[in-house]
Amino acid sequence: MNQQALSAFIWSVADLLRGDYKQSDYGKVILPFTVLRRLDCVLEATKPAVLAEKEAKTKLGVNPEPFLLKKTGLKFFNQSELDLPKLLGDPDNIAHNLFTYVQGFSADVRDIFDHFEFQAQVDRLAKAGLLYQVAEKFAQIDLHPEAVSNMQMGLVFEELIRKFAEISNETAGEHFTPREVIRLMVNLIFVEDDEVLAKPGVVRTLYDPTAGTGGMLSVAGEYLAELNHQARLTVYGQELNPESHAICKADMLIKGQDVANIAFGNTLSDDGHPTMKFDYMLANPPFGVEWKKVEKEVRKEHEQRGFDGRFGPGLPRVSDGSMLFLLHLLSKMRPAKDGGSRFGIVLNGSPLFTGGAGSGESEIRRYVLENDLVEAIVGLPNDMFYNTGIGTYIWVISNRKPKARQGKVQLIDASGMWQKLRKSLGSKRKELSDAHIDHITQLFGRFEEATDDEGKPISRIFANEAFGYHTITVERPLRDAEGKVVVGEKGKQKGKPQPDSALRDTENVPLTEDVAAYFKREVLPHAPDAWIDPDKTKVGYEIPFNRHFYVFKPPRPLAEIDADLKRTTGRILDMIKGLSA
């Protein structure tokens, strides 16, 4: 059974819940029972050995827990004699026995079920008379590792969560990252380090501040295992949604990761890894989602700690917090002298250009560009994500750029690289094929300008300062009723023309141009009495991504258009004649 068929089969449990549960609450039953059944199947083979070991060590008066972990060969165990199929043998006591069974798990697993608020769901199912039927249905599902691999299981969890989110009408910020987008991001952050990562015994850390169900962490682990089975990737993450956090922990536990590394809570207001720095990072933060709830804590850190905190460069407007995650990741980079870091973050179009000179967004762009941290920005096709069709961009950020990339930024337009999904999944109608992923990775790896088969640019390279500009304030003199220039009478303004605020204007002058020369060429011919107020000049940065890939198509010649119109008019006249006849 492929993961979509398996997900559909698991989701069919919803038929039992209809009437007693609201649609939006189905996931509260289905997700924890899926995790329980998976753990049940994973531990089945070692269950007899674990129970024998428990009995032997208990007789000796020794704490059996460390020995039970050895017997499972995993980072968790269950010391109860029960399992899901055995629970069905005592229908009258199923609620009590299910509680006893879950309490038999090691502490990390019990914590997962606490995040699911599983006991409350068990009580609710028992009261509705549905608990036995639901347990029976899940006991029939084969989730043994030989039937469903870890990778497939991760996809099943994501598919279930997507269905759950879809019927709960969750917002665009709640989407999950498609696996092929994650694969591309993982390629981009690892491609320049393939030689290092292929060395025996290499150990690296990876962090995702918006971990969701752990998809990015899993795909990165799979990539590294393919490249070098001796390499070890230690993963860290944080997640705000209790169900996603519980699934992420369960997935990481089965894969042998230390689940203490997966923190719970809001990354922006309560950093779960405050002292850590990482080799690699990946993130797909919610975009277009306001950060009002954490505004107090974020502003306090910005104002009191400045560049010693996470938000030194500036704060974006409250309506979109995605750039706060960019700043958060910057603060988690290892210093370049200690090996440095590279990360990929998915953002929408807004962080590229929103906010004029001096605004929080512009100051954040200024910080990453003036500190030479942006390696590349990749524009993805629309309709790539499950819950939003908007255009998205992968920013690749590093403080250890190879020499060829220093002082430069690569823009890659991959908006035309997609294939149609056979069946739409929410807003997702397009996907990247393996060939598209390879092509984008090669464009990034080669670091050169390139065009597609039709001659349209798809890779361009710019100096960092190409995105900067001075915003100058152009003043014109205030005139009295007779048209004479009004001059100041006191202090510094004495004898100087006074500006007319109604005629005030601003101009954006590229950083690569001399302001005085620009002013002389562009402003003075139209307003000979104008001047620049130097106190109001600001530096800004924006990345007009689409403008750099725009190709002008000249309109057809007028004679051609004329001929078309004549032909069309002739056809219409013929039709009218036919009707009147």
Side-chain angles (χ1 to χ4, degrees):
M1 219 188 274
N2 70 21
Q3 63 267 7
Q4 279 182 323
L6 183 56
S7 306
F9 179 63
I10 293 170
W11 195 257
S12 69
V13 174
D15 295 338
L16 295 172
L17 305 176
R18 202 163 281 125
D20 292 279
Y21 273 76
K22 286 189 299 192
Q23 267 199 338
S24 57
D25 286 346
Y26 291 170
K28 291 177 182 176
V29 173
I30 289 170
L31 295 173
F33 266 99
T34 306
V35 170
L36 182 64
R37 181 58 179 151
R38 174 64 167 180
L39 298 177
D40 200 50
C41 291
V42 167
L43 292 175
E44 188 183 295
T46 57
K47 187 92 172 173
V50 166
L51 293 177
E53 186 72 2
K54 182 195 170 189
E55 191 181 345
K57 291 296 181 274
T58 308
K59 275 182 186 169
L60 295 170
V62 174
N63 174 16
E65 293 201 357
F67 301 96
L68 303 186
L69 285 172
K70 274 187 187 168
K71 287 291 173 190
T72 64
L74 299 160
K75 296 214 169 186
F76 64 101
F77 60 80
N78 186 301
Q79 54 185 320
S80 164
E81 291 185 9
L82 296 164
D83 57 22
L84 211 47
K86 272 187 193 160
L87 289 169
L88 302 175
D90 186 2
D92 296 338
N93 296 303
I94 189 161
H96 172 73
N97 289 343
L98 185 53
F99 175 74
T100 306
Y101 175 44
V102 170
Q103 289 306 304
F105 279 108
S106 42
D108 283 331
V109 178
R110 293 199 303 273
D111 180 61
I112 288 166
F113 287 103
D114 286 345
H115 272 111
F116 277 127
E117 297 178 346
F118 187 54
Q119 192 52 45
Q121 297 307 326
V122 168
D123 293 342
R124 187 175 169 188
L125 286 167
K127 275 180 193 159
L130 293 170
L131 182 58
Y132 185 85
Q133 290 167 272
V134 169
E136 184 179 40
K137 186 97 175 174
F138 274 96
Q140 293 165 5
I141 301 170
D142 182 6
L143 296 182
H144 289 83
E146 51 274 17
V148 183
S149 71
N150 283 340
M151 190 182 99
Q152 280 179 301
M153 198 66 227
L155 292 170
V156 167
F157 283 139
E158 281 187 13
E159 180 70 7
L160 291 174
I161 282 230
R162 190 190 63 75
K163 285 177 186 282
F164 185 23
E166 213 171 62
I167 60 172
S168 307
N169 284 325
E170 295 194 356
T171 59
E174 310 278 330
H175 54 261
F176 300 93
T177 316
R179 284 291 166 115
E180 81 273 16
V181 175
I182 303 174
R183 278 210 312 281
L184 172 61
M185 292 174 76
V186 168
N187 278 12
L188 295 176
I189 66 166
F190 283 164
V191 68
E192 289 177 347
D193 300 343
D194 275 358
E195 276 182 41
V196 179
L197 295 172
K199 287 178 181 170
V202 69
V203 179
R204 288 291 182 269
T205 54
L206 177 84
Y207 170 62
D208 180 353
T210 52
T213 55
M216 287 196 171
L217 301 176
S218 295
V219 174
E222 288 154 16
Y223 178 102
L224 201 53
E226 279 173 31
L227 191 68
N228 175 7
H229 67 275
Q230 292 178 307
R232 212 174 92 236
L233 192 68
T234 308
V235 303
Y236 295 79
Q238 184 158 354
E239 175 53 34
L240 175 63
N241 176 287
E243 282 102 354
S244 298
H245 176 254
I247 285 177
C248 183
K249 279 185 82 166
D251 198 28
M252 293 301 133
L253 200 62
I254 291 164
K255 287 172 178 155
Q257 290 285 349
D258 181 354
V259 292
N261 295 344
I262 311 296
F264 177 67
N266 190 308
T267 306
L268 299 177
S269 59
D270 183 18
D271 182 2
H273 304 284
T275 59
M276 295 285 297
K277 306 284 183 190
F278 303 99
D279 299 307
Y280 300 103
M281 294 172 272
L282 290 166
N284 178 14
F287 28 78
V289 175
E290 63 173 35
W291 50 281
K292 219 175 192 65
K293 282 183 192 169
V294 295
E295 187 177 2
K296 189 179 162 192
E297 294 91 336
V298 170
R299 285 200 187 281
K300 185 178 171 189
E301 185 173 336
H302 171 66
E303 287 158 13
Q304 293 184 2
R305 298 193 60 204
F307 282 87
D308 290 333
R310 294 173 292 164
F311 309 118
L315 297 177
R317 60 201 64 197
V318 175
S319 57
D320 186 355
S322 56
M323 285 185 100
L324 292 176
F325 287 96
L326 175 66
L327 291 175
H328 172 77
L329 290 178
L330 290 171
S331 76
K332 297 290 179 195
M333 295 177 95
R334 278 193 203 292
K337 62 180 172 55
D338 298 335
S341 302
R342 180 177 293 111
F343 70 80
I345 181 170
V346 180
L347 298 169
N348 64 0
S350 173
L352 292 168
F353 50 77
T354 298
S359 68
E361 293 89 348
S362 176
E363 287 299 293
I364 295 167
R365 289 190 290 269
R366 180 179 183 177
Y367 180 82
V368 293
L369 287 162
E370 288 188 353
N371 286 284
D372 197 18
L373 296 170
V374 184
E375 283 201 301
I377 297 173
V378 180
L380 296 174
N382 292 346
D383 302 328
M384 285 293 291
F385 289 84
Y386 301 122
N387 284 30
T388 176
I390 58 178
T392 47
Y393 300 81
I394 299 169
W395 293 45
V396 183
I397 306 283
S398 177
N399 59 356
R400 51 181 176 87
K401 283 186 175 185
K403 198 160 188 189
R405 287 187 178 271
Q406 287 169 14
K408 298 187 174 81
V409 176
Q410 183 180 17
L411 302 183
I412 298 172
D413 180 15
S415 61
M417 299 180 202
W418 54 273
Q419 62 186 27
K420 207 168 167 39
L421 269 183
R422 277 187 303 229
K423 180 174 177 274
S424 293
L425 295 169
S427 297
K428 183 172 173 60
R429 295 176 181 85
K430 299 172 183 172
E431 66 179 354
L432 298 169
S433 67
D434 289 347
H436 293 136
I437 293 169
D438 289 345
H439 187 34
I440 297 164
T441 307
Q442 284 165 10
L443 287 171
F444 175 77
R446 286 189 195 131
F447 188 60
E448 56 190 25
E449 299 216 328
T451 57
D452 64 12
D453 296 339
E454 293 168 12
K456 186 177 177 289
I458 50 173
S459 170
R460 300 203 60 194
I461 294 163
F462 298 90
N464 293 337
E465 55 270 21
F467 303 110
Y469 60 88
H470 286 110
T471 294
I472 59 169
T473 301
V474 178
E475 301 285 17
R476 302 276 301 281
L478 181 66
R479 295 178 186 272
D480 61 20
E482 294 171 16
K484 289 179 182 170
V485 173
V486 176
V487 293
E489 293 174 1
K490 291 178 186 172
K492 285 184 182 176
Q493 292 300 314
K494 193 170 181 180
K496 290 183 180 176
Q498 293 304 288
D500 184 344
S501 58
L503 296 175
R504 184 172 292 145
D505 200 3
T506 57
E507 294 270 337
N508 287 346
V509 183
L511 280 188
T512 48
E513 268 204 62
D514 178 70
V515 171
Y518 176 93
F519 184 71
K520 189 178 174 184
R521 184 182 76 243
E522 300 291 337
V523 178
L524 289 180
H526 311 288
D529 56 0
W531 72 92
I532 298 169
D533 182 345
D535 295 337
K536 292 189 177 124
T537 298
K538 291 176 183 171
V539 173
Y541 278 82
E542 65 171 6
I543 304 168
F545 190 95
N546 292 337
R547 193 196 305 162
H548 289 305
F549 291 99
Y550 173 72
V551 177
F552 174 70
K553 281 188 180 173
R556 290 188 301 155
L558 270 175
E560 226 178 84
I561 297 168
D562 235 13
D564 266 2
L565 281 170
K566 277 179 184 166
R567 276 195 296 274
T568 307
T569 310
R571 276 203 304 274
I572 292 167
L573 288 170
D574 289 344
M575 285 163 73
I576 292 167
K577 277 178 193 169
L579 286 170
S580 57

